[in-house]
Amino acid sequence: MEKSDLIIVKAHFKLYPTEEGGRKTPIISGYRPNHVFEYKDNSNDLVATYIGDINFEGQEFLSPGESILATVRFLRHGDIDRFIQTGRIWWIHEALNKIGEAEIIEMPLWTYPQSSRLP
């Protein structure tokens, strides 16, 4: 079976409140932050970031301090496969600023053929 370029999971997604280092403004469905699954030596130094978008279910915007059920689509590259498992928590970044986190609650829902790309 050939691996596809796209991994799709359901996740519980939350933005940190502004006063806890989160954004000051809402994000929209389709948002494409940096996804971080691990840090170096218990520090805030990122090992790697991964590419993916977050699509909300039932609303268009998410404000700081809110949570939602979301569909997350990751591009399969590097060693991302080792992180994709139910219960896995990862962090949402804008550059080096950690603005939220998510937890995989169902995976993978489906995958697309190798020719598919994030729009």
Side-chain angles (χ1 to χ4, degrees), residues 49-88:
T49 62
Y50 296 89
I51 300 167
D53 63 5
I54 301 166
N55 297 282
F56 309 142
E57 299 189 8
Q59 68 189 60
E60 186 176 349
F61 294 95
L62 188 69
S63 295
E66 293 183 338
S67 333
I68 195 167
L69 180 63
T71 299
V72 182
R73 302 183 309 163
F74 295 104
L75 284 180
R76 179 178 268 127
H77 71 279
D79 60 352
I80 192 169
D81 287 297
R82 72 185 176 110
F83 300 116
I84 305 300
Q85 57 193 356
T86 302
R88 177 65 192 219

Side-chain angles (χ1 to χ4, degrees), residues 4-114:
S4 73
D5 285 345
L6 200 54
I7 301 167
I8 301 173
V9 301
K10 289 277 188 198
H12 179 258
F13 175 81
K14 69 178 176 179
L15 284 178
Y16 296 148
T18 303
E19 54 276 1
E20 293 178 19
R23 293 173 53 95
K24 294 178 181 173
T25 59
I27 60 173
I28 62 169
S29 187
Y31 176 65
R32 294 181 183 179
N34 293 321
H35 300 268
V36 176
F37 287 92
E38 64 183 335
Y39 299 92
K40 294 180 185 173
D41 303 320
N42 296 321
S43 69
N44 284 329
D45 293 333
L46 312 178
V47 172
T49 62
Y50 296 89
I51 300 167
D53 63 5
I54 301 166
N55 297 282
F56 309 142
E57 299 189 8
Q59 68 189 60
E60 186 176 349
F61 294 95
L62 188 69
S63 295
E66 293 183 338
S67 333
I68 195 167
L69 180 63
T71 299
V72 182
R73 302 183 309 163
F74 295 104
L75 284 180
R76 179 178 268 127
H77 71 279
D79 60 352
I80 192 169
D81 287 297
R82 72 185 176 110
F83 300 116
I84 305 300
Q85 57 193 356
T86 302
R88 177 65 192 219
I89 294 174
W90 78 96
W91 298 272
I92 309 303
H93 277 252
E94 290 180 341
L96 295 177
N97 188 25
K98 189 186 308 181
I99 63 158
E101 62 187 60
E103 178 181 359
I104 297 173
I105 59 172
E106 189 178 335
M107 55 68 57
L109 294 176
W110 61 86
T111 55
Y112 286 103
Q114 294 250 348

